[in-house]
Amino acid sequence: MVYRTEFNGMSMSSLGFGTMRLPLVPGGKGKDIDQEKVDEMVAYALEHGVKYFDTAAPYHESYSEVSIGKALAKYPRNSFCLADKYPGHQIMSSYNPKETFEEQLEKCGVEYFDFYLLHNVNENSLPTYLDEKWGIHDYFVEQKKLGRIKHLGFSCHGDVPCMEKFLGVYGDAMEFCQIQLNYLDWTLQDAKAKYEYLTNRGLGVWVMEPVRGGKLASLPEEDTEKLRSLRPDESIPAWAFRFLQGLPNVRMILSGMSSLEQMKDNVKTFEERKPLNDEETAAVFEIAEKLKNAVPCTGCRYCCKGCPAQLDIPSIIRLYNDAKFYLSINVGMKRDALGESGKPENCIGCGQCAQMCPQGIDVPALMPVMKEVLDKVPVWAEVCKEREEAAKKSRGIQQ
């Protein structure tokens, strides 16, 4: 039985089942979910105390909502917590709040959501969430008052300033925030600052990508042996979860499990809370640094003072480090948010930044390299367009 955490007076399983990577039928893609395997995983989860299930409109071309709804329909409504999300980060005419919310309830086969999140608040989507014409804030606050949403929060891939702007409008309504948090992103994406900011704001922290899409579940042999010498009986994926167990304000850890074997391994890990000690924490941070192989920027911002192109050099370097590790859509969102004038190709090569850098980074020489890597990252607008077409097709099929 998984151990439990407390949140706003309620007790929850500390492990949640994320449904972004559900098992597929052989040779299947996207929406081709293996429902029998999902049913089996849900049954095992509930039997072993996992009560929290997380879905979203974009997952599996919106079929994730249908699949998890079917699996949970066999159980009493008060035996599980279901979370869904409003896709304001890819807003379009077919995603107005009322129609989307009603459709999600229908797909999931429920009358209310225990947890509901405004999905993927980031530097690109922030203007949409703050634009009153969409009525996002008022509509979902009203649904909470009506009891159709029990707890309202948001997920965020933006930096702390983005969170501050969002909470300047939504702060009174938000109870929790879901962020990408693991021992690699603690520094790579500055998750430490986000965790501390949310904690100081009194918001519960939900975790997504605890094993970084599986990259922290399988480490190089040298690193694997090092961790096993410290905890011989611990699986490698468990180390990522144990790191999170040492953060007191982490209330929910979501794992996007794709098989019953992964479910069983995670349930075993969460049978007890065994956070890392100082030596073990130092070990995973050392491994993280090797995995990153990053440009050693500390974010002091000395390089920004007097830059003729007014570039946010630390942000560009952070994106480059992240993209070099993995070319993700999230990096694409942040790259696009830089705007045309904020991209590395606008560097004029004056060298002033290199003279100011305490780490001795040759920034002008690095700029063309960073441009080449960042140009490979998916363009967020194009991703949104593809998802819009998939969503429309999905709606047409399901109707």
Side-chain angles (χ1 to χ4, degrees):
M1 183 70 69
V2 299
Y3 76 88
R4 306 185 72 76
T5 56
E6 298 297 318
F7 171 72
N8 287 1
M10 68 179 295
S11 177
M12 306 188 303
S13 60
S14 53
L15 173 64
F17 184 5
T19 64
M20 187 172 69
R21 301 182 178 96
L22 293 174
L24 302 177
V25 297
K29 297 180 180 180
K31 65 183 180 181
D32 302 321
I33 298 168
D34 190 323
Q35 190 62 42
E36 184 176 343
K37 289 184 177 179
V38 173
D39 292 347
E40 189 178 20
M41 293 174 71
V42 167
Y44 188 91
L46 288 169
E47 182 181 350
H48 291 82
V50 178
K51 306 292 186 183
Y52 190 102
F53 300 85
D54 171 271
T55 187
Y59 298 171
H60 288 280
E61 300 177 21
S62 83
Y63 278 81
S64 169
E65 294 171 320
V66 176
S67 177
I68 197 64
K70 287 180 179 178
L72 291 171
K74 305 170 186 177
Y75 304 95
R77 183 62 183 89
N78 61 0
S79 66
F80 61 86
C81 292
L82 181 59
D84 208 336
K85 308 179 188 76
Y86 172 68
H89 62 300
Q90 53 187 80
I91 197 161
M92 54 201 74
S93 59
S94 57
Y95 274 137
N96 77 69
K98 186 177 187 303
E99 289 182 8
T100 300
F101 186 70
E102 297 295 344
E103 185 178 86
Q104 288 175 312
L105 288 171
E106 183 178 355
K107 284 182 178 179
C108 292
V110 295
E111 295 182 352
Y112 65 90
F113 290 114
D114 302 273
F115 295 85
Y116 196 82
L117 299 85
L118 303 184
H119 198 179
N120 197 355
V121 175
N122 63 72
E123 287 78 5
N124 277 339
S125 66
L126 183 63
T128 296
Y129 280 114
L130 299 185
D131 192 336
E132 294 182 1
K133 76 177 182 181
W134 297 106
I136 299 171
H137 175 279
D138 292 348
Y139 179 77
F140 289 113
V141 168
E142 180 64 18
Q143 299 315 300
K144 184 179 177 182
K145 289 179 181 177
L146 294 173
R148 304 175 83 200
I149 294 172
K150 303 301 181 184
H151 301 281
L152 186 59
F154 68 111
S155 68
C156 186
H157 284 286
D159 293 333
V160 170
C162 177
M163 290 180 173
E164 289 177 330
K165 292 176 183 177
F166 175 80
L167 290 171
V169 174
Y170 286 84
D172 291 343
M174 297 293 106
E175 299 177 67
F176 65 99
C177 178
Q178 187 167 304
I179 60 173
Q180 183 166 313
L181 177 57
N182 50 65
Y183 65 77
L184 174 72
D185 287 316
W186 190 247
T187 51
L188 183 58
Q189 291 196 2
D190 204 12
K192 178 178 184 289
K194 300 173 190 178
Y195 170 83
E196 291 174 347
Y197 172 75
L198 293 168
T199 299
N200 291 334
R201 288 279 313 220
L203 296 175
V205 172
W206 266 229
V207 172
M208 55 181 155
E209 300 290 358
V211 294
R212 238 319 179 120
K215 292 185 178 294
L216 302 182
S218 178
L219 298 174
E221 184 176 349
E222 178 185 359
D223 298 326
T224 296
E225 291 305 315
K226 180 173 185 176
L227 296 185
R228 283 180 176 161
S229 71
L230 295 170
R231 290 194 182 191
D233 298 327
E234 199 83 89
S235 71
I236 296 305
W239 278 83
F241 297 122
R242 300 300 187 205
F243 167 74
L244 296 169
Q245 289 174 353
L247 301 174
N249 192 34
V250 168
R251 310 307 176 94
M252 171 57 57
I253 301 173
L254 295 166
S255 179
M257 295 168 271
S258 302
S259 68
L260 183 60
E261 290 70 29
Q262 290 177 355
M263 174 71 73
K264 289 180 176 180
D265 187 56
N266 286 348
V267 165
K268 180 181 178 182
T269 298
F270 279 82
E271 285 176 350
E272 56 184 324
R273 182 176 176 273
K274 296 195 298 184
L276 305 184
N277 60 32
D278 290 345
E279 180 187 6
E280 293 163 341
T281 300
V284 297
F285 282 159
E286 181 181 338
I287 289 170
E289 289 305 312
K290 288 195 294 182
L291 290 174
K292 288 191 297 185
N293 187 27
V295 176
C297 173
T298 63
C300 69
R301 304 191 69 80
Y302 292 163
C303 57
C304 297
K305 297 176 182 178
C307 172
Q310 297 183 322
L311 296 176
D312 186 344
I313 297 169
S315 291
I316 295 173
I317 293 176
R318 187 162 62 249
L319 287 179
Y320 167 69
N321 285 337
D322 202 352
K324 192 167 60 166
F325 181 78
Y326 181 62
L327 292 173
S328 71
I329 293 173
N330 294 329
V331 177
M333 290 187 296
K334 290 182 175 294
R335 186 271 318 275
D336 297 345
L338 292 173
E340 290 303 316
S341 63
K343 293 180 179 178
E345 53 263 41
N346 292 295
C347 172
I348 64 172
C350 69
Q352 176 177 290
C353 50
Q355 295 176 14
M356 298 292 291
C357 179
Q359 309 305 317
I361 301 171
D362 188 348
V363 177
L366 188 60
M367 284 292 181
V369 179
M370 293 194 289
K371 176 187 183 303
E372 182 179 356
V373 171
L374 291 176
D375 281 349
K376 297 176 182 177
V377 181
V379 176
W380 178 240
E382 294 177 1
V383 173
C384 284
K385 185 176 180 180
E386 291 174 3
R387 288 182 174 178
E388 177 180 4
E389 293 303 318
K392 288 180 178 178
K393 184 178 179 180
S394 170
R395 283 182 169 88
I397 292 173
Q398 292 172 21
Q399 291 171 356

